[in-house]
Amino acid sequence: MKHCFIISAFCLFSLLGYGQRFEPYNSFEIGAGVTLNETVGDAETNGHTVSPHININYNPHLYTVITGEYQVGKLKGGDSLLTQSGRQFSNNFNAFFVKGQLQAGHLFGQSDVVLAQLASDFYIGSGIGIIFNNIKQVSRYSHHFQDYYTGGPDKSQNLLIPLRVGYDFKVLNFYKEVLFRVDAAYQHNLMLGDGMDGFEAGSSKDILSQFSLSIKVGLSGKRRTN
């Protein structure tokens, strides 16, 4: 019952906000939020952590965003006792991204149809990033096989390619201006290296999957849609 109420309230809020055309928006925005991380690497079990992020956004168009983002936190995975390899790690990481996103509003434009306006905020994006890995805790020996050892660096840097899909919900004020944005997204990061978990094993590169939620507020540079 509670979930139905939340969903109904969200839909009503969306219809009220998007039932009108909106014009002015900010060229620059600053945002912050949280990210749920899942690591897929050489450890036999995936790990899950939560970390913060901040970003600066440039909006050359209402439906185009260029983002610079900084992430910091911990990644982990594996189980030294329950897995055959004994691999387990904890990575205190820092990461920087430059990403671009194109929203479906480029297809629908400033439509008066409510459903088209709602669909306009779905987006896809990609870019480039770099992650600085700092392995603080690691298990390299197996408890099941004598002398079984997995090597790898404790500190490394890896380039990565983010593949992103999401929804950029625009909250409007009384004057139909974009007051702030709520960005919910899934990001699949393809590592161009094998240092995220500190292990060098197998031929597959590490993968970092992320679900993120950000709130972005305008800084300056008011623009109007064409």
PDB file of all heavy atoms in Angstrom, residues 144-169:
ATOM      1  N   HIS A 144      41.988 -23.668   0.713  1.00  0.00           N
ATOM      2  CA  HIS A 144      41.578 -24.994   0.255  1.00  0.00           C
ATOM      3  C   HIS A 144      42.676 -25.721  -0.518  1.00  0.00           C
ATOM      4  O   HIS A 144      42.688 -26.953  -0.566  1.00  0.00           O
ATOM      5  CB  HIS A 144      40.331 -24.871  -0.636  1.00  0.00           C
ATOM      6  CG  HIS A 144      39.140 -24.297   0.066  1.00  0.00           C
ATOM      7  ND1 HIS A 144      38.222 -25.074   0.745  1.00  0.00           N
ATOM      8  CD2 HIS A 144      38.720 -23.007   0.209  1.00  0.00           C
ATOM      9  CE1 HIS A 144      37.293 -24.301   1.269  1.00  0.00           C
ATOM     10  NE2 HIS A 144      37.565 -23.041   0.952  1.00  0.00           N
ATOM     11  N   PHE A 145      43.598 -24.938  -1.134  1.00  0.00           N
ATOM     12  CA  PHE A 145      44.677 -25.539  -1.922  1.00  0.00           C
ATOM     13  C   PHE A 145      46.009 -24.990  -1.432  1.00  0.00           C
ATOM     14  O   PHE A 145      46.229 -23.773  -1.439  1.00  0.00           O
ATOM     15  CB  PHE A 145      44.486 -25.245  -3.409  1.00  0.00           C
ATOM     16  CG  PHE A 145      43.181 -25.736  -3.971  1.00  0.00           C
ATOM     17  CD1 PHE A 145      42.129 -24.860  -4.175  1.00  0.00           C
ATOM     18  CD2 PHE A 145      43.000 -27.083  -4.271  1.00  0.00           C
ATOM     19  CE1 PHE A 145      40.920 -25.306  -4.684  1.00  0.00           C
ATOM     20  CE2 PHE A 145      41.795 -27.537  -4.780  1.00  0.00           C
ATOM     21  CZ  PHE A 145      40.758 -26.651  -4.980  1.00  0.00           C
ATOM     22  N   GLN A 146      46.871 -25.861  -1.035  1.00  0.00           N
ATOM     23  CA  GLN A 146      48.172 -25.452  -0.489  1.00  0.00           C
ATOM     24  C   GLN A 146      49.001 -24.734  -1.546  1.00  0.00           C
ATOM     25  O   GLN A 146      49.083 -25.165  -2.702  1.00  0.00           O
ATOM     26  CB  GLN A 146      48.932 -26.681   0.026  1.00  0.00           C
ATOM     27  CG  GLN A 146      50.232 -26.337   0.745  1.00  0.00           C
ATOM     28  CD  GLN A 146      50.903 -27.574   1.322  1.00  0.00           C
ATOM     29  OE1 GLN A 146      50.440 -28.691   1.131  1.00  0.00           O
ATOM     30  NE2 GLN A 146      51.992 -27.369   2.050  1.00  0.00           N
ATOM     31  N   ASP A 147      49.590 -23.615  -1.143  1.00  0.00           N
ATOM     32  CA  ASP A 147      50.488 -22.817  -1.991  1.00  0.00           C
ATOM     33  C   ASP A 147      49.800 -22.183  -3.190  1.00  0.00           C
ATOM     34  O   ASP A 147      50.469 -21.692  -4.108  1.00  0.00           O
ATOM     35  CB  ASP A 147      51.677 -23.661  -2.480  1.00  0.00           C
ATOM     36  CG  ASP A 147      52.535 -24.179  -1.348  1.00  0.00           C
ATOM     37  OD1 ASP A 147      52.643 -23.469  -0.327  1.00  0.00           O
ATOM     38  OD2 ASP A 147      53.087 -25.286  -1.479  1.00  0.00           O
ATOM     39  N   TYR A 148      48.461 -22.170  -3.209  1.00  0.00           N
ATOM     40  CA  TYR A 148      47.749 -21.485  -4.306  1.00  0.00           C
ATOM     41  C   TYR A 148      47.742 -19.989  -4.007  1.00  0.00           C
ATOM     42  O   TYR A 148      47.229 -19.544  -2.979  1.00  0.00           O
ATOM     43  CB  TYR A 148      46.328 -21.999  -4.437  1.00  0.00           C
ATOM     44  CG  TYR A 148      45.583 -21.426  -5.632  1.00  0.00           C
ATOM     45  CD1 TYR A 148      45.621 -22.072  -6.859  1.00  0.00           C
ATOM     46  CD2 TYR A 148      44.855 -20.251  -5.522  1.00  0.00           C
ATOM     47  CE1 TYR A 148      44.949 -21.556  -7.957  1.00  0.00           C
ATOM     48  CE2 TYR A 148      44.178 -19.717  -6.607  1.00  0.00           C
ATOM     49  CZ  TYR A 148      44.237 -20.380  -7.820  1.00  0.00           C
ATOM     50  OH  TYR A 148      43.581 -19.854  -8.905  1.00  0.00           O
ATOM     51  N   TYR A 149      48.302 -19.205  -4.926  1.00  0.00           N
ATOM     52  CA  TYR A 149      48.514 -17.773  -4.693  1.00  0.00           C
ATOM     53  C   TYR A 149      48.119 -16.998  -5.941  1.00  0.00           C
ATOM     54  O   TYR A 149      48.397 -17.419  -7.065  1.00  0.00           O
ATOM     55  CB  TYR A 149      49.985 -17.519  -4.362  1.00  0.00           C
ATOM     56  CG  TYR A 149      50.365 -16.063  -4.214  1.00  0.00           C
ATOM     57  CD1 TYR A 149      50.190 -15.390  -3.011  1.00  0.00           C
ATOM     58  CD2 TYR A 149      50.923 -15.358  -5.285  1.00  0.00           C
ATOM     59  CE1 TYR A 149      50.546 -14.061  -2.865  1.00  0.00           C
ATOM     60  CE2 TYR A 149      51.293 -14.025  -5.150  1.00  0.00           C
ATOM     61  CZ  TYR A 149      51.100 -13.381  -3.936  1.00  0.00           C
ATOM     62  OH  TYR A 149      51.456 -12.062  -3.801  1.00  0.00           O
ATOM     63  N   THR A 150      47.455 -15.842  -5.752  1.00  0.00           N
ATOM     64  CA  THR A 150      47.087 -14.964  -6.858  1.00  0.00           C
ATOM     65  C   THR A 150      47.774 -13.617  -6.669  1.00  0.00           C
ATOM     66  O   THR A 150      47.519 -12.910  -5.689  1.00  0.00           O
ATOM     67  CB  THR A 150      45.563 -14.737  -6.930  1.00  0.00           C
ATOM     68  OG1 THR A 150      44.904 -16.006  -6.974  1.00  0.00           O
ATOM     69  CG2 THR A 150      45.203 -13.943  -8.174  1.00  0.00           C
ATOM     70  N   GLY A 151      48.646 -13.279  -7.601  1.00  0.00           N
ATOM     71  CA  GLY A 151      49.379 -12.027  -7.509  1.00  0.00           C
ATOM     72  C   GLY A 151      48.628 -10.857  -8.117  1.00  0.00           C
ATOM     73  O   GLY A 151      47.542 -11.006  -8.673  1.00  0.00           O
ATOM     74  N   GLY A 152      49.230  -9.680  -8.010  1.00  0.00           N
ATOM     75  CA  GLY A 152      48.642  -8.473  -8.580  1.00  0.00           C
ATOM     76  C   GLY A 152      49.113  -7.239  -7.831  1.00  0.00           C
ATOM     77  O   GLY A 152      49.646  -7.329  -6.722  1.00  0.00           O
ATOM     78  N   PRO A 153      48.920  -6.060  -8.424  1.00  0.00           N
ATOM     79  CA  PRO A 153      49.389  -4.812  -7.804  1.00  0.00           C
ATOM     80  C   PRO A 153      48.460  -4.320  -6.701  1.00  0.00           C
ATOM     81  O   PRO A 153      47.240  -4.469  -6.785  1.00  0.00           O
ATOM     82  CB  PRO A 153      49.399  -3.836  -8.982  1.00  0.00           C
ATOM     83  CG  PRO A 153      48.295  -4.322  -9.867  1.00  0.00           C
ATOM     84  CD  PRO A 153      48.308  -5.831  -9.740  1.00  0.00           C
ATOM     85  N   ASP A 154      49.039  -3.700  -5.680  1.00  0.00           N
ATOM     86  CA  ASP A 154      48.238  -3.075  -4.633  1.00  0.00           C
ATOM     87  C   ASP A 154      47.795  -1.665  -5.031  1.00  0.00           C
ATOM     88  O   ASP A 154      46.789  -1.170  -4.529  1.00  0.00           O
ATOM     89  CB  ASP A 154      49.022  -3.011  -3.323  1.00  0.00           C
ATOM     90  CG  ASP A 154      49.183  -4.383  -2.684  1.00  0.00           C
ATOM     91  OD1 ASP A 154      48.332  -5.255  -2.950  1.00  0.00           O
ATOM     92  OD2 ASP A 154      50.145  -4.572  -1.927  1.00  0.00           O
ATOM     93  N   LYS A 155      48.555  -1.025  -5.908  1.00  0.00           N
ATOM     94  CA  LYS A 155      48.195   0.296  -6.402  1.00  0.00           C
ATOM     95  C   LYS A 155      48.294   0.315  -7.919  1.00  0.00           C
ATOM     96  O   LYS A 155      49.267  -0.189  -8.491  1.00  0.00           O
ATOM     97  CB  LYS A 155      49.089   1.382  -5.801  1.00  0.00           C
ATOM     98  CG  LYS A 155      48.863   1.602  -4.305  1.00  0.00           C
ATOM     99  CD  LYS A 155      49.631   2.820  -3.802  1.00  0.00           C
ATOM    100  CE  LYS A 155      49.328   3.077  -2.328  1.00  0.00           C
ATOM    101  NZ  LYS A 155      50.012   4.304  -1.823  1.00  0.00           N
ATOM    102  N   SER A 156      47.302   0.901  -8.561  1.00  0.00           N
ATOM    103  CA  SER A 156      47.282   0.950 -10.026  1.00  0.00           C
ATOM    104  C   SER A 156      46.303   2.014 -10.492  1.00  0.00           C
ATOM    105  O   SER A 156      45.519   2.548  -9.696  1.00  0.00           O
ATOM    106  CB  SER A 156      46.898  -0.414 -10.611  1.00  0.00           C
ATOM    107  OG  SER A 156      45.582  -0.778 -10.222  1.00  0.00           O
ATOM    108  N   GLN A 157      46.355   2.324 -11.772  1.00  0.00           N
ATOM    109  CA  GLN A 157      45.401   3.221 -12.409  1.00  0.00           C
ATOM    110  C   GLN A 157      44.881   2.532 -13.661  1.00  0.00           C
ATOM    111  O   GLN A 157      45.642   1.911 -14.394  1.00  0.00           O
ATOM    112  CB  GLN A 157      46.042   4.560 -12.796  1.00  0.00           C
ATOM    113  CG  GLN A 157      46.679   5.319 -11.645  1.00  0.00           C
ATOM    114  CD  GLN A 157      48.100   4.883 -11.379  1.00  0.00           C
ATOM    115  OE1 GLN A 157      48.867   4.641 -12.313  1.00  0.00           O
ATOM    116  NE2 GLN A 157      48.459   4.793 -10.115  1.00  0.00           N
ATOM    117  N   ASN A 158      43.588   2.664 -13.892  1.00  0.00           N
ATOM    118  CA  ASN A 158      42.967   2.064 -15.073  1.00  0.00           C
ATOM    119  C   ASN A 158      42.046   3.069 -15.751  1.00  0.00           C
ATOM    120  O   ASN A 158      41.243   3.724 -15.087  1.00  0.00           O
ATOM    121  CB  ASN A 158      42.151   0.824 -14.709  1.00  0.00           C
ATOM    122  CG  ASN A 158      42.983  -0.311 -14.161  1.00  0.00           C
ATOM    123  OD1 ASN A 158      42.646  -0.898 -13.137  1.00  0.00           O
ATOM    124  ND2 ASN A 158      44.083  -0.638 -14.805  1.00  0.00           N
ATOM    125  N   LEU A 159      42.161   3.154 -17.071  1.00  0.00           N
ATOM    126  CA  LEU A 159      41.161   3.878 -17.829  1.00  0.00           C
ATOM    127  C   LEU A 159      39.896   3.035 -17.911  1.00  0.00           C
ATOM    128  O   LEU A 159      39.963   1.801 -17.873  1.00  0.00           O
ATOM    129  CB  LEU A 159      41.675   4.195 -19.235  1.00  0.00           C
ATOM    130  CG  LEU A 159      42.830   5.194 -19.343  1.00  0.00           C
ATOM    131  CD1 LEU A 159      43.283   5.309 -20.797  1.00  0.00           C
ATOM    132  CD2 LEU A 159      42.429   6.560 -18.801  1.00  0.00           C
ATOM    133  N   LEU A 160      38.771   3.678 -18.031  1.00  0.00           N
ATOM    134  CA  LEU A 160      37.515   2.942 -18.175  1.00  0.00           C
ATOM    135  C   LEU A 160      36.553   3.726 -19.056  1.00  0.00           C
ATOM    136  O   LEU A 160      36.648   4.944 -19.204  1.00  0.00           O
ATOM    137  CB  LEU A 160      36.891   2.625 -16.813  1.00  0.00           C
ATOM    138  CG  LEU A 160      36.840   3.700 -15.730  1.00  0.00           C
ATOM    139  CD1 LEU A 160      35.661   4.624 -15.960  1.00  0.00           C
ATOM    140  CD2 LEU A 160      36.746   3.073 -14.358  1.00  0.00           C
ATOM    141  N   ILE A 161      35.635   2.992 -19.668  1.00  0.00           N
ATOM    142  CA  ILE A 161      34.624   3.574 -20.547  1.00  0.00           C
ATOM    143  C   ILE A 161      33.261   3.378 -19.906  1.00  0.00           C
ATOM    144  O   ILE A 161      32.812   2.236 -19.747  1.00  0.00           O
ATOM    145  CB  ILE A 161      34.664   2.927 -21.940  1.00  0.00           C
ATOM    146  CG1 ILE A 161      36.027   3.159 -22.597  1.00  0.00           C
ATOM    147  CG2 ILE A 161      33.548   3.496 -22.821  1.00  0.00           C
ATOM    148  CD1 ILE A 161      36.190   2.461 -23.926  1.00  0.00           C
ATOM    149  N   PRO A 162      32.592   4.458 -19.529  1.00  0.00           N
ATOM    150  CA  PRO A 162      31.255   4.336 -18.930  1.00  0.00           C
ATOM    151  C   PRO A 162      30.171   4.281 -20.008  1.00  0.00           C
ATOM    152  O   PRO A 162      30.146   5.095 -20.933  1.00  0.00           O
ATOM    153  CB  PRO A 162      31.135   5.616 -18.100  1.00  0.00           C
ATOM    154  CG  PRO A 162      31.971   6.619 -18.841  1.00  0.00           C
ATOM    155  CD  PRO A 162      33.089   5.843 -19.496  1.00  0.00           C
ATOM    156  N   LEU A 163      29.273   3.313 -19.886  1.00  0.00           N
ATOM    157  CA  LEU A 163      28.083   3.211 -20.734  1.00  0.00           C
ATOM    158  C   LEU A 163      26.882   3.434 -19.828  1.00  0.00           C
ATOM    159  O   LEU A 163      26.656   2.673 -18.888  1.00  0.00           O
ATOM    160  CB  LEU A 163      28.012   1.839 -21.408  1.00  0.00           C
ATOM    161  CG  LEU A 163      29.238   1.446 -22.249  1.00  0.00           C
ATOM    162  CD1 LEU A 163      29.085   0.021 -22.775  1.00  0.00           C
ATOM    163  CD2 LEU A 163      29.469   2.425 -23.385  1.00  0.00           C
ATOM    164  N   ARG A 164      26.102   4.454 -20.106  1.00  0.00           N
ATOM    165  CA  ARG A 164      25.127   4.955 -19.130  1.00  0.00           C
ATOM    166  C   ARG A 164      23.738   5.101 -19.740  1.00  0.00           C
ATOM    167  O   ARG A 164      23.580   5.574 -20.866  1.00  0.00           O
ATOM    168  CB  ARG A 164      25.618   6.317 -18.614  1.00  0.00           C
ATOM    169  CG  ARG A 164      24.830   6.926 -17.471  1.00  0.00           C
ATOM    170  CD  ARG A 164      25.521   8.215 -17.025  1.00  0.00           C
ATOM    171  NE  ARG A 164      24.816   8.892 -15.958  1.00  0.00           N
ATOM    172  CZ  ARG A 164      25.017   8.676 -14.663  1.00  0.00           C
ATOM    173  NH1 ARG A 164      25.913   7.793 -14.272  1.00  0.00           N
ATOM    174  NH2 ARG A 164      24.350   9.344 -13.745  1.00  0.00           N
ATOM    175  N   VAL A 165      22.725   4.684 -18.988  1.00  0.00           N
ATOM    176  CA  VAL A 165      21.325   4.948 -19.330  1.00  0.00           C
ATOM    177  C   VAL A 165      20.653   5.482 -18.073  1.00  0.00           C
ATOM    178  O   VAL A 165      20.973   5.057 -16.950  1.00  0.00           O
ATOM    179  CB  VAL A 165      20.599   3.683 -19.842  1.00  0.00           C
ATOM    180  CG1 VAL A 165      21.185   3.217 -21.159  1.00  0.00           C
ATOM    181  CG2 VAL A 165      20.646   2.567 -18.807  1.00  0.00           C
ATOM    182  N   GLY A 166      19.720   6.422 -18.263  1.00  0.00           N
ATOM    183  CA  GLY A 166      19.103   6.981 -17.074  1.00  0.00           C
ATOM    184  C   GLY A 166      17.908   7.860 -17.379  1.00  0.00           C
ATOM    185  O   GLY A 166      17.443   7.954 -18.526  1.00  0.00           O
ATOM    186  N   TYR A 167      17.440   8.516 -16.314  1.00  0.00           N
ATOM    187  CA  TYR A 167      16.293   9.413 -16.420  1.00  0.00           C
ATOM    188  C   TYR A 167      16.624  10.685 -15.647  1.00  0.00           C
ATOM    189  O   TYR A 167      16.999  10.636 -14.473  1.00  0.00           O
ATOM    190  CB  TYR A 167      15.035   8.765 -15.843  1.00  0.00           C
ATOM    191  CG  TYR A 167      13.776   9.550 -16.143  1.00  0.00           C
ATOM    192  CD1 TYR A 167      13.140   9.415 -17.371  1.00  0.00           C
ATOM    193  CD2 TYR A 167      13.240  10.431 -15.207  1.00  0.00           C
ATOM    194  CE1 TYR A 167      11.980  10.130 -17.658  1.00  0.00           C
ATOM    195  CE2 TYR A 167      12.088  11.143 -15.482  1.00  0.00           C
ATOM    196  CZ  TYR A 167      11.464  10.991 -16.715  1.00  0.00           C
ATOM    197  OH  TYR A 167      10.330  11.712 -17.006  1.00  0.00           O
ATOM    198  N   ASP A 168      16.496  11.827 -16.320  1.00  0.00           N
ATOM    199  CA  ASP A 168      16.853  13.122 -15.755  1.00  0.00           C
ATOM    200  C   ASP A 168      15.563  13.908 -15.500  1.00  0.00           C
ATOM    201  O   ASP A 168      15.103  14.651 -16.365  1.00  0.00           O
ATOM    202  CB  ASP A 168      17.780  13.869 -16.728  1.00  0.00           C
ATOM    203  CG  ASP A 168      18.331  15.150 -16.135  1.00  0.00           C
ATOM    204  OD1 ASP A 168      18.709  15.135 -14.959  1.00  0.00           O
ATOM    205  OD2 ASP A 168      18.380  16.169 -16.866  1.00  0.00           O
ATOM    206  N   PHE A 169      14.983  13.717 -14.325  1.00  0.00           N
ATOM    207  CA  PHE A 169      13.687  14.326 -14.001  1.00  0.00           C
ATOM    208  C   PHE A 169      13.866  15.798 -13.642  1.00  0.00           C
ATOM    209  O   PHE A 169      14.615  16.146 -12.730  1.00  0.00           O
ATOM    210  CB  PHE A 169      13.036  13.575 -12.842  1.00  0.00           C
ATOM    211  CG  PHE A 169      11.715  14.146 -12.430  1.00  0.00           C
ATOM    212  CD1 PHE A 169      10.601  13.975 -13.240  1.00  0.00           C
ATOM    213  CD2 PHE A 169      11.581  14.854 -11.252  1.00  0.00           C
ATOM    214  CE1 PHE A 169       9.377  14.496 -12.860  1.00  0.00           C
ATOM    215  CE2 PHE A 169      10.365  15.385 -10.866  1.00  0.00           C
ATOM    216  CZ  PHE A 169       9.252  15.212 -11.680  1.00  0.00           C
TER     217      PHE A 169
END
